[in-house]
Amino acid sequence: MGRPPCCDKVGIKKGPWTPEEDIILVSYIQEHGPGNWRSVPTNTGLSRCSKSCRLRWTNYLRPGIKRGNFTPHEEGMIIHLQALLGNKWAAIASYLPQRTDNDIKNYWNTHLKKKLKKFQEASLDNPNQVQSSNSTSHHHQYLSNKSFSDRSLDISNNHASSLKLTQSSSSTTYASSTENISRLLEGWMRTSPNPPPLIKYDHNNNNNNNNFDHHKITTTSKYITDHGRDLVSHEEFDSILSFENLNNNNNAAAWDKSTCDSMPEKCCASSSSSHHNKNNHNHNININIKNNINCGGAPPLSFLEKWLLDENVGHVEEMMELSDPMF
DNA sequence: AAACCATACAACCGCCTCTAC
DNA sequence: GGTAGAGGCGGTTGTATGGTT
């Protein structure tokens, strides 16, 4: 006999969430905090399964989520971390605090995978051109050395630097009353002792096709204090999130809070002994990365590389090959 | 203008791990 | 130690949207 479903399928609504449902969910979480998802549908009256509520919150409604275009910096990080970790989207998302694993996964599947493939073909056709582009790589700022796998790192750098982003503005069309959700979130920001960056529902974006019922959600380019003042620009925040900065100060605090709220197992779960898993060592890498993040900020990649080399000598190349055949 | 195709992304599904009992 | 439930994760699908013919 198979395992019963997580929730009774009868009467459970599926498909896109409506703004009204979002408001109900946000209101509830604002009051009770994230967690205990099983009780959320019951207590809110939402005809959604608990998993759906959790996913809606973590992937869409949670404050601090950045939506829209991925910066070249983020793209480079994803490429590099994917090469390093494989399809461990949650672990990769740990290094991109404003992005969800789902977002990263989607972006990888729809953009980066294709681009890498194209690049691979191009590099096979003309390796000299690839070599020259490496020297100007923007992503060298955080790809600090080549101690790990020259081959894979070079490929990652080259991909990231040579790929010109042509993505269109990818803000998400959303029906109705987003401003209400925005207010709710802002209210939460005010009451939260250590609020993460705010998602702003942009009602004044440049898309003239918008009407009242079809706002587009965009990530605010400014991060707003509880007094409504601009705190730090998007670019500045992007810079703050660089590995060097994460390693040197506590800028990740806001992220830690929001992350821990929604993913409590990540907080100080240092008991590696509890992870006697039967899986591959990628899992262990994942655990250690998480522990590093939550118990003192994200380490720079060079640290990871060092760790990998120290702890997994002889497995690195194997892992790289497993993570993606092209590497 | 309509049909068709490609793309992007939100959401679902199934499996896994962890934890409480 | 075994079991069941809750939550997390990664793969996949469904659908809206935009572009092309």
Side-chain angles (χ1 to χ4, degrees):
Chain A
M1 190 153 67
R3 210 185 132 177
C6 71
C7 48
D8 187 359
K9 304 260 185 198
V10 180
I12 292 299
K13 187 180 173 190
K14 289 164 74 170
W17 280 65
T18 65
E20 289 74 22
E21 288 176 309
D22 283 344
I23 290 169
I24 290 170
L25 182 60
V26 169
S27 301
Y28 178 82
I29 292 172
Q30 185 183 3
E31 194 173 342
H32 299 92
N36 195 13
W37 296 107
R38 177 94 171 157
S39 65
V40 171
T42 312
N43 294 341
T44 60
L46 287 168
S47 302
R48 295 280 182 172
C49 107
S50 57
K51 287 177 80 166
S52 184
C53 293
R54 181 176 56 82
L55 283 173
R56 183 64 181 170
W57 172 256
T58 56
N59 288 335
Y60 205 86
L61 297 173
R62 176 168 59 89
I65 294 176
K66 177 180 172 184
R67 309 196 68 79
N69 293 353
F70 280 71
T71 65
H73 178 81
E74 290 174 315
E75 189 175 82
M77 288 175 73
I78 293 168
I79 291 169
H80 186 92
L81 288 165
Q82 202 279 341
L84 205 60
L85 303 170
N87 295 351
K88 302 294 178 188
W89 305 118
I92 293 170
S94 299
Y95 283 92
L96 294 159
Q98 297 176 289
R99 301 289 186 181
T100 69
D101 54 356
N102 206 38
D103 246 5
I104 294 170
K105 179 174 59 182
N106 282 333
Y107 189 67
W108 173 264
N109 286 331
T110 56
H111 292 85
L112 296 179
K113 212 154 74 171
K114 291 174 197 167
K115 289 179 178 178
L116 289 178
K117 194 175 177 214
K118 276 185 190 171
F119 181 85
Q120 185 186 29
E121 291 165 2
S123 65
L124 287 174
D125 289 348
N126 193 354
N128 290 335
Q129 196 172 4
V130 169
Q131 191 73 24
S132 63
S133 71
N134 193 29
S135 60
T136 57
S137 172
H138 160 74
H139 305 281
H140 274 180
Q141 62 179 295
Y142 54 86
L143 299 175
S144 54
N145 63 54
K146 299 173 76 174
S147 64
F148 176 44
S149 167
D150 288 350
R151 184 168 58 101
S152 61
L153 285 178
D154 282 349
I155 288 170
S156 297
N157 292 341
N158 287 329
H159 285 323
S161 59
S162 64
L163 297 170
K164 296 298 178 193
L165 290 177
T166 56
Q167 57 183 315
S168 60
S169 147
S170 58
S171 44
T172 304
T173 306
Y174 190 88
S176 180
S177 310
T178 52
E179 57 189 319
N180 292 334
I181 300 171
S182 182
R183 286 197 198 103
L184 288 168
L185 291 171
E186 287 186 48
W188 192 41
M189 301 291 291
R190 277 191 290 273
T191 57
S192 174
N194 189 12
L198 175 67
I199 294 176
K200 179 182 177 186
Y201 292 91
D202 186 357
H203 313 302
N204 301 311
N205 67 68
N206 295 327
N207 189 331
N208 293 327
N209 293 329
N210 285 344
N211 56 38
F212 185 76
D213 289 337
H214 286 85
H215 300 300
K216 292 211 167 187
I217 300 172
T218 59
T219 306
T220 176
S221 60
K222 303 274 188 184
Y223 295 89
I224 301 169
T225 66
D226 54 352
H227 303 299
R229 285 189 299 111
D230 295 342
L231 184 64
V232 51
S233 71
H234 180 98
E235 291 73 21
E236 287 165 334
F237 193 80
D238 209 37
S239 161
I240 286 167
L241 287 173
S242 71
F243 288 130
E244 291 80 2
N245 285 321
L246 282 175
N247 201 36
N248 292 336
N249 60 38
N250 291 324
N251 278 320
W255 151 245
D256 282 346
K257 182 190 183 304
S258 61
T259 306
C260 291
D261 281 347
S262 57
M263 288 173 277
E265 88 288 350
K266 284 186 175 183
C267 293
C268 301
S270 59
S271 58
S272 59
S273 61
S274 68
H275 296 288
H276 293 298
N277 66 77
K278 44 194 174 289
N279 297 333
N280 56 42
H281 55 266
N282 266 356
H283 187 87
N284 290 325
I285 293 166
N286 191 358
I287 291 163
N288 279 278
I289 289 168
K290 284 182 179 179
N291 291 342
N292 277 320
I293 290 165
N294 293 295
C295 298
L301 279 183
S302 56
F303 174 89
L304 279 177
E305 293 163 12
K306 183 173 185 300
W307 181 84
L308 284 165
L309 289 169
D310 288 343
E311 302 293 330
N312 293 280
V313 173
H315 298 294
V316 171
E317 289 294 332
E318 177 192 358
M319 186 187 75
M320 298 298 293
E321 288 175 10
L322 283 173
S323 68
D324 190 326
M326 72 172 290
F327 294 107

